[in-house]
Amino acid sequence: MSFEIIFVIVCMIAMLLALIFDLMRPGMILLSIVVLFLCAGILTPKEMLEGFSNKGMITVALLFLVSEGVRQSGALNVIIKKLLPQKPVSVMRAQLRFLPAISAISAFLNNTPVVVIFAPIIKRWAEQMKMQPTKFLIPLSYATILGGICTLIGTSTNLVVHGMVLDAGLEGFSMFELGRVGIFIAIAGIIYLLFFSKRLLPDSREDNLDREEENPSGGLHRVEVIIGARFPGIKKSLGEFNFTRHYGAYVKEVKRNGESYTTDLDEFVILEGDTLILWADDTFIPTWGDSRVFLYVANGKDEAPKESRGRRYLALGLLVFMIAGATIGELPFMKELVPSMKLDMFFFVCITTIIMAWTKIFPPKKYTKYISWDILVTIACAFAISKAMNNSGFAPMIANYVIDMTDSLGAYGILAVLFVITNIFTELITNNAAAALSFPIALAVANQLHVDPTPFFVVICMAASASFCTPIGYQTNLIVQGVGGYKFTDFVKVGLPLNIIAFAISVFAIPLIWEF
């Protein structure tokens, strides 16, 4: 075993441990590893920086702005209110009304704003209908994940893998190509949620605060926030950070992993994903509602953007233009009609973003605020780490082990191993990092077997997105955990069968659709 392989193994183990124990933001952890590879001569400066100019990464950045434009137009608020039943119905009938539609919406928009908008509306609706909100919030998150795997733009993971495929000199995915298997996983997943989630999900857990005593001094009201990764007081106690001085609100309750804390809060150490119940005045929501320090801000009232109907139609029209343009642009006759131009998703998302900016569907002077920069750094560094795994010989070595281990099982065995490896990574770290670690192994396996690598790439897309077992693998899971007061075990109980469904359909259907 060469020095390069040993060095990569040590660095990869260190990276995984740092990600699992959340020592720093994922982007900084991956960037640190990339710099180590640069210092060891495993990466050149050009290879280190290639990911920052990758079309897939830039497409993800622009899609953040498109999703923000649709969110700020208020179109999603109108849609969800029309989907929710206006009279008491069973849990299954209510889920049947909105889960398929939510999956369809999340196939074309970033999952996080969909959940941020829908979660408080669904929770408030359930309380008004005398139903348990916990029966709907985890299914909401899962429905967005299931919808995301059906299109190229449904999740950043698909675009990351697509970008790596292009970097390898191969043909990337078309808009709906992944839906050839993703739609079956989505349908099976929604059917499973309709029949089993009511039994597996807990009843709502009440707050420890007395709601009738929430206005002790007048002018204050209840606000609920979920701590995001950008919150400056993470890993500090509330007393040390002095939340009231920073945000002008009083912390009265903290929720974590389904447990509620109301005493000795000054000693409580805040972590990402914690839910805080605040007493705040009327300035809190306008000031901090769009801040990235909080994943979620709600006060139990309808805070829908007050945009005109024309602005909503324009936002939805631009979204349809982007999707239809990218789909038609990939057709053979369009490639023949304009051979000098590549009318792909990147082309149309660029046009859509610029039109949204100039028509002020999202505030153009604040556009940097709506982009998750850590995700972009993570994606860019993931490309470099993938390159280092190949350059060092680590990826071909692992590919040999995978082939030897599954020799008697053939291609189905290799797909199964790749799915399991990627899925474990995505549950423990991040979906984009999981895809980056698995991609060079998949490519090396295909090269050594002299087969088409497309089935291996597709299984990575499915496995990296199938994050159902833990609240930490996907940000939407973290949000609904805080809103619904779920415990970690609630995700395991409901999510593990969903992981198994995704595994079974992927391993058996992918070889039938994409031949080796």
Side-chain angles (χ1 to χ4, degrees), residues 19 22 24-31 374 378 430:
L19 288 168
D22 194 26
M24 280 192 285
R25 299 286 298 279
M28 183 54 67
I29 292 172
L30 267 67
L31 182 60
D374 188 72
T378 300
T430 69

Side-chain angles (χ1 to χ4, degrees), residues 175-481:
M175 171 65 81
F176 295 102
E177 185 174 1
L178 294 170
R180 296 168 68 185
V181 65
I183 190 67
F184 294 110
I185 297 174
I187 291 172
I190 290 174
I191 291 173
Y192 160 75
L193 291 172
L194 291 174
F195 282 96
F196 295 100
S197 63
K198 178 183 176 181
R199 304 173 192 174
L200 297 174
L201 288 168
D203 291 334
S204 296
R205 300 178 175 96
E206 294 298 325
D207 298 336
N208 286 342
L209 291 178
D210 185 348
R211 287 178 176 267
E212 294 182 356
E213 298 180 359
E214 287 188 1
N215 194 5
S217 59
L220 300 181
H221 53 79
R222 174 194 176 92
V223 174
E224 186 175 7
V225 301
I226 298 177
I227 300 298
R230 295 187 184 182
F231 182 72
I234 286 180
K235 296 185 179 179
K236 296 180 181 179
S237 69
L238 280 170
E240 177 188 2
F241 177 67
N242 197 335
F243 188 95
T244 302
R245 181 172 63 84
H246 280 84
Y247 299 105
Y250 302 92
V251 180
K252 292 300 178 182
E253 183 179 7
V254 181
K255 298 179 187 178
R256 177 186 295 166
N257 195 27
E259 301 293 335
S260 179
Y261 305 88
T262 57
T263 59
D264 299 323
L265 292 183
D266 280 348
E267 306 300 320
F268 199 94
V269 177
I270 296 298
L271 301 177
E272 181 183 358
D274 285 348
T275 300
L276 307 185
I277 305 300
L278 313 175
W279 286 343
D281 61 23
D282 292 335
T283 64
F284 187 89
I285 293 287
T287 304
W288 302 106
D290 284 333
S291 172
R292 289 304 186 259
V293 302
F294 302 120
L295 296 177
Y296 168 96
V297 178
N299 62 357
K301 300 178 182 178
D302 188 358
E303 298 292 339
K306 294 178 174 58
E307 293 289 349
S308 66
R309 181 178 297 180
R311 185 64 60 90
R312 291 198 295 268
Y313 287 151
L314 177 59
L316 292 177
L318 287 171
L319 181 64
V320 171
F321 161 76
M322 181 186 76
I323 296 164
T327 304
I328 296 171
E330 292 287 343
L331 297 177
F333 83 91
M334 286 299 295
K335 293 180 179 180
E336 293 178 5
L337 187 64
V338 281
S340 61
M341 298 178 66
K342 189 166 180 60
L343 304 180
D344 57 2
M345 173 51 64
F346 176 76
F347 178 87
F348 284 97
V349 76
C350 287
I351 296 174
T352 302
T353 303
I354 294 303
I355 294 175
M356 281 188 168
W358 282 96
T359 55
K360 297 186 178 179
I361 293 179
F362 63 81
K365 292 184 178 180
K366 299 180 180 179
Y367 78 96
T368 56
K369 178 180 179 180
Y370 307 119
I371 297 173
S372 295
W373 295 102
D374 188 72
I375 291 178
L376 299 185
V377 173
T378 300
I379 292 171
C381 292
F383 284 95
I385 290 173
S386 177
K387 181 75 71 174
M389 291 173 68
N390 271 321
N391 291 352
S392 65
F394 175 70
M397 182 186 74
I398 297 298
N400 276 328
Y401 287 137
V402 171
I403 293 170
D404 292 341
M405 181 171 46
T406 59
D407 186 49
S408 60
L409 299 176
Y412 285 95
I414 295 174
L415 285 177
V417 169
L418 280 174
F419 188 101
V420 171
I421 292 173
T422 308
N423 199 234
I424 290 173
F425 282 155
T426 202
E427 296 288 9
L428 295 177
I429 48 176
T430 69
N431 50 341
N432 293 316
L437 294 178
S438 300
F439 181 87
I441 299 172
L443 183 60
V445 167
N447 288 339
Q448 292 182 29
L449 293 177
H450 304 290
V451 297
D452 186 349
T454 303
F456 302 125
F457 299 154
V458 175
V459 85
I460 288 174
C461 290
M462 299 300 116
S465 294
S467 180
F468 304 111
C469 280
T470 71
I472 61 175
Y474 233 85
Q475 194 173 69
T476 56
N477 289 349
L478 198 63
I479 293 170
V480 298
Q481 183 189 32

Side-chain angles (χ1 to χ4, degrees), residues 126-195:
E127 291 170 345
Q128 291 171 352
M129 295 292 116
K130 308 300 182 186
M131 303 175 76
Q132 301 288 342
T134 47
K135 304 297 183 183
F136 302 102
L137 295 174
I138 279 182
L140 165 65
S141 178
Y142 289 173
T144 63
I145 296 172
L146 291 169
I149 64 178
C150 293
T151 67
L152 177 62
I153 63 172
T155 171
S156 60
T157 308
N158 292 350
L159 284 165
V160 169
V161 176
H162 173 72
M164 290 182 169
V165 172
L166 294 177
D167 270 3
L170 303 171
E171 186 73 22
F173 299 120
S174 61
M175 171 65 81
F176 295 102
E177 185 174 1
L178 294 170
R180 296 168 68 185
V181 65
I183 190 67
F184 294 110
I185 297 174
I187 291 172
I190 290 174
I191 291 173
Y192 160 75
L193 291 172
L194 291 174
F195 282 96

